[in-house]
Amino acid sequence: MEAFMDAIVKPVAGPGLELRRVPVPEPGPGEVLIKIHKTAICGTDVHIYNWDPWAAEHIKPPMTIGHEYVGEIAKLGDGVKGLKIGQRVSGEGHITCHQCRNCHTGNIQWCKYTKSVGVDRDGAFAEYVCIPATNVILIDPELDEDVVAFFDAFGNATHTALMFDLVGEDVLITGAGPIGIIAAGICRFAGARRVIITDLNDDRLELARKMGVDAAVNTLRDDLPRIMKEKKLTEGFDVGLEMSGSGAALQQMIQNMRNGGKISLLGISNKPVPMDMNTIITKGLTLQGIYGRKMDNWHQMSYMVQAGLDLTPVITHRFHYTEFEQGFAAMNSGKSGKVILDWSTKK
Ligand code: NAD
Ligand code: ZN
């Protein structure tokens, strides 16, 4: 007899989401069924909820969305070895081909054929999700599940922040969204000298202050070079983490880097961004695109948390999954950090 579960579904092309009863997926050969405990809402889910042009191009309804989660193994498909029912897990959301040159050399973050959970196939905003066993990440059951729920986003922040050396360096983060704020915590934790974050939204800058930044700068109002001087930055930033997707923010970053500085680009823009080529060239800047996570970032995340990195200040809202509308309203308000949905109890 077919079993059914609750899932947050994009039912048809257009704004909104619906809580529906859908069949529990059956793990095929090499796949694992995960019972979801907690999920977190990502900016991508908000694009899908709002049905912006990106969502209209990429999402094929009806489908279950969501890709930030923690749960436990509920069932193993044929041929899965080394995993056990009941183990605490999360999952790498990028399902890669395992055959291309990048996959073969361990650089799965650059696989050309990546498919994303909750975007290209059914996601984790449900009582169960099914993923390939190779994407399952074992999680220490002692870690706080509310934090593990957003390890996917923490992974983006880790990948971006740890791309270049941080010890004793001065770091500029543009964009104090959840990922920028998490990155600020990582930079602080990893030994940066100064961590300065910019945004245009005071609520988000306030959250960033809770992560222990040296300055949270509203660039609509405050003068970044003046604050740099106050914080004893004499030559500019050593490392830049672009986490806003704004061309204006990138331009400001390029202008305020020191010669030889290094920039990681995570923020995705919805339109082409003009580049100040001449400044990049004459300053000898390095610009590195960042996509997804490296598999090794998953270990780094668990270990950073175990070593004392506290990301709980990023969590601003917790709801039961049946209250998902409130969760998306919080995300759309621009006042939220991470929003957690609880799937571990029935209402
Ligand atoms: P978010 O949209 O919640 O945060 C972006 C922040 O940038 C907002 O707080 C916004 O007010 C701020 N901002 C806008 N213009 C700015 C400016 N001129 N200067 C400073 N700040 C400005 O996004 P998020 O969920 O934190 O993600 C960060 C970015 O990373 C987004 O662009 C997202 O699309 C992107 N992303 C990329 C990947 C990847 O694999 N490359 C993965 C996840 C997210
Ligand atoms: Zn590949």
Side-chain angles (χ1 to χ4, degrees), residues 156 175 177-179 198-199 204 243-244 246 249 266-268 290-292:
N156 298 132
I179 300 183
T198 65
D199 205 291
R204 290 208 143 163
M243 302 194 144
S244 73
S246 151
L266 181 86
I268 291 178
I290 306 284
Y291 189 56

Side-chain angles (χ1 to χ4, degrees), residues 96-104 107-108 110-114:
T96 51
C97 78
H98 299 290
Q99 285 174 346
C100 73
R101 181 172 168 181
N102 286 319
C103 284
H104 274 167
N107 290 305
I108 60 117
W110 295 327
C111 176
K112 208 172 160 181
Y113 308 103
T114 295

Side-chain angles (χ1 to χ4, degrees), residues 59-336:
I59 303 296
K60 307 272 170 281
M63 68 168 290
T64 299
I65 73 151
H67 57 272
E68 298 187 5
Y69 61 93
V70 58
E72 66 181 74
I73 296 182
K75 198 170 178 184
L76 302 173
D78 283 348
V80 175
K81 295 204 170 62
L83 295 172
K84 286 200 233 66
I85 289 173
Q87 282 178 316
R88 187 76 48 87
V89 291
S90 184
E92 168 50 51
H94 286 184
I95 295 176
T96 51
C97 78
H98 299 290
Q99 285 174 346
C100 73
R101 181 172 168 181
N102 286 319
C103 284
H104 274 167
T105 50
N107 290 305
I108 60 117
Q109 72 278 11
W110 295 327
C111 176
K112 208 172 160 181
Y113 308 103
T114 295
K115 298 269 179 250
S116 295
V117 173
V119 173
D120 301 306
R121 56 186 273 159
D122 279 328
F125 287 180
E127 290 177 88
Y128 295 90
V129 67
C130 202
I131 61 168
T134 46
N135 284 61
V136 170
I137 309 285
L138 291 174
I139 298 289
D140 182 341
E142 285 180 10
L143 294 179
D144 177 357
E145 287 205 327
D146 284 6
V147 172
V148 180
F150 61 88
F151 263 29
D152 181 291
F154 180 15
N156 298 132
T158 303
H159 189 185
T160 316
L162 299 187
M163 180 53 65
F164 299 114
D165 285 343
L166 293 173
V167 179
E169 302 286 53
D170 293 331
V171 184
L172 173 64
I173 302 172
T174 47
I179 300 183
I181 296 171
I182 296 168
I186 299 169
C187 294
R188 183 82 303 150
F189 184 79
R193 181 181 74 142
R194 302 275 189 256
V195 181
I196 297 182
I197 195 163
T198 65
D199 205 291
L200 315 174
N201 172 331
D202 286 323
D203 292 303
R204 290 208 143 163
L205 289 166
E206 201 43 52
L207 260 185
R209 286 191 189 98
K210 292 191 183 145
M211 285 306 293
V213 293
D214 295 285
V217 182
N218 187 328
T219 49
L220 289 177
R221 216 176 35 226
D222 305 321
D223 181 40
L224 183 59
R226 180 183 60 76
I227 290 161
M228 290 165 66
K229 218 176 262 167
E230 266 174 35
K231 300 291 171 191
K232 298 196 164 36
L233 270 77
T234 48
E235 292 183 63
F237 291 97
D238 303 294
V239 176
L241 313 179
E242 204 311 290
M243 302 194 144
S244 73
S246 151
L250 177 60
Q251 177 57 17
Q252 190 166 45
M253 178 175 275
I254 289 169
Q255 275 166 0
N256 290 294
M257 298 299 292
R258 76 163 166 88
N259 288 8
K262 300 192 162 59
I263 295 178
S264 298
L265 299 168
L266 181 86
I268 291 178
S269 172
N270 55 11
K271 51 179 186 288
V273 168
M275 280 273 169
D276 181 357
M277 291 282 290
N278 295 0
T279 307
I280 295 171
I281 292 166
T282 55
K283 282 192 170 185
L285 300 180
T286 301
L287 275 72
Q288 170 73 53
I290 306 284
Y291 189 56
R293 292 146 300 278
K294 292 187 194 170
M295 284 310 266
D296 202 36
N297 293 146
W298 287 93
H299 301 276
Q300 291 170 312
M301 287 186 270
S302 284
Y303 295 175
M304 282 191 281
V305 171
Q306 285 167 343
L309 174 60
D310 180 13
L311 293 179
T312 52
V314 184
I315 303 170
T316 52
H317 298 77
R318 292 175 174 86
F319 297 104
H320 190 258
Y321 71 87
T322 52
E323 302 161 330
F324 72 90
E325 290 284 5
Q326 291 177 62
F328 279 88
M331 289 292 285
N332 266 322
S333 74
K335 292 185 188 233
S336 69

Side-chain angles (χ1 to χ4, degrees), residues 3-65:
F4 286 83
M5 64 176 184
D6 283 351
I8 299 173
V9 171
K10 172 64 81 180
V12 290
L17 291 165
E18 218 176 270
L19 188 63
R20 276 196 177 178
R21 296 291 287 169
V22 302
V24 174
E26 185 60 30
E31 289 188 334
V32 170
L33 184 71
I34 298 170
K35 182 179 185 336
I36 299 295
H37 293 179
K38 300 273 175 77
T39 59
I41 303 178
C42 170
T44 302
D45 304 319
V46 180
H47 292 301
I48 299 172
Y49 182 98
N50 295 342
W51 203 247
D52 67 7
W54 174 87
E57 191 187 327
H58 289 90
I59 303 296
K60 307 272 170 281
M63 68 168 290
T64 299
I65 73 151

